[in-house]
Amino acid sequence: MNCNIIKDLIPLYVDGCCSEESKNIVNEHIQSCNACKKLLEDMNAPSDIVVVSKEPITFHKLNNWKASVLQSVLLFLSFALITIGVALEAKTPISWVNGFWANTLVIPATGFMLSLANWYFVRVYKSRRQFSVCSMIATLGITLCAFVWSGFHYEELPYLFTSGLSALGYILTLHYGAIFLTVVFCVLSKTLSNLYAEMLGKE
């Protein structure tokens, strides 16, 4: 049998894809042909190539899609809270409760929503923990700055400076809901940003 034909059959022989007749032909030929026998032995030898299984691309795409949906939902919900807060504040008559809804709902929701801009830079951070802590700090920082602005806008800070500790108790009582919601949004910011980073494969 011609060696070229046997060489064509050997890959099928190794894979077990040829007929019994072809197997017999190959077996008979390698008894008398050292070159073809060597070729068969080389093809049967274990390979040094290590196959690295890659995570399916579709899995990454699905996680990226989930992360985008999470961010979009949070943006929508925080914007909805801001809208509700603005509507309630607009209906509040000018009195000692003026600014209540702005401080209780609008400012904490705005601080959380603006901190979501940090999520676009998730890949800059070295670790998921660092990213989530910075997201929480961003939420708190933006919210506190807004509270300072609100204090001057609704003249609470000037009142505090002139009246002292007696005014502090009044202001804290009026805005206990704002303080509570700020803490809630800071915790949510840390927890959800950690989840977001995990979806994107951040270690």
Side-chain angles (χ1 to χ4, degrees):
M1 177 68 68
N2 190 300
C3 283
N4 289 329
I5 297 175
I6 298 300
K7 287 177 182 177
D8 290 338
L9 289 175
I10 284 177
L12 299 175
Y13 179 93
V14 172
D15 292 337
C17 299
C18 61
S19 64
E20 285 297 324
E21 185 179 354
S22 297
K23 284 182 182 180
N24 293 334
I25 292 172
V26 172
N27 287 330
E28 287 178 9
H29 181 81
I30 62 174
Q31 299 299 323
S32 57
C33 179
N34 290 331
C36 291
K37 184 178 181 180
K38 179 70 168 55
L39 177 63
L40 178 60
E41 288 173 353
D42 290 343
M43 292 190 73
N44 275 324
S47 174
D48 292 332
I49 299 173
V50 178
V51 179
V52 179
S53 60
K54 292 185 179 180
E55 207 171 2
I57 296 175
T58 51
F59 180 75
H60 290 296
K61 287 183 178 178
L62 179 61
N63 275 348
N64 289 342
W65 179 80
K66 286 181 179 179
S68 297
V69 169
L70 174 63
Q71 188 176 26
S72 300
V73 168
L74 292 176
L75 282 168
F76 173 79
L77 291 177
S78 54
F79 183 76
L81 287 176
I82 293 169
T83 304
I84 293 169
V86 169
L88 291 172
E89 183 63 31
K91 292 181 179 179
T92 303
I94 297 176
S95 65
W96 64 275
V97 293
N98 196 234
F100 174 78
W101 290 110
N103 286 291
T104 302
L105 199 55
V106 176
I107 288 177
T110 301
F112 178 75
M113 184 180 74
L114 292 179
S115 72
L116 292 175
N118 182 55
W119 290 23
Y120 291 105
F121 304 100
V122 60
R123 302 194 188 281
V124 174
Y125 293 90
K126 292 181 179 179
S127 66
R128 197 165 68 216
R129 184 176 182 278
Q130 186 186 60
F131 169 68
S132 63
V133 169
C134 287
S135 294
M136 181 185 67
I137 293 172
T139 302
L140 181 61
I142 294 168
T143 305
L144 289 178
C145 289
F147 277 137
V148 171
W149 170 86
S150 174
F152 283 106
H153 180 75
Y154 292 105
E155 299 182 354
E156 290 177 341
L157 287 181
Y159 173 61
L160 176 63
F161 295 147
T162 56
S163 301
L165 291 176
S166 59
L168 180 61
Y170 156 73
I171 292 173
L172 290 177
T173 303
L174 180 62
H175 298 307
Y176 69 90
I179 297 169
F180 172 76
L181 203 57
T182 298
V183 172
V184 169
F185 275 125
C186 285
V187 172
L188 280 175
S189 181
K190 186 176 188 302
T191 305
L192 294 175
S193 61
N194 185 69
L195 176 62
Y196 176 80
E198 186 179 4
M199 287 177 177
L200 295 177
K202 195 77 176 176
E203 294 296 332

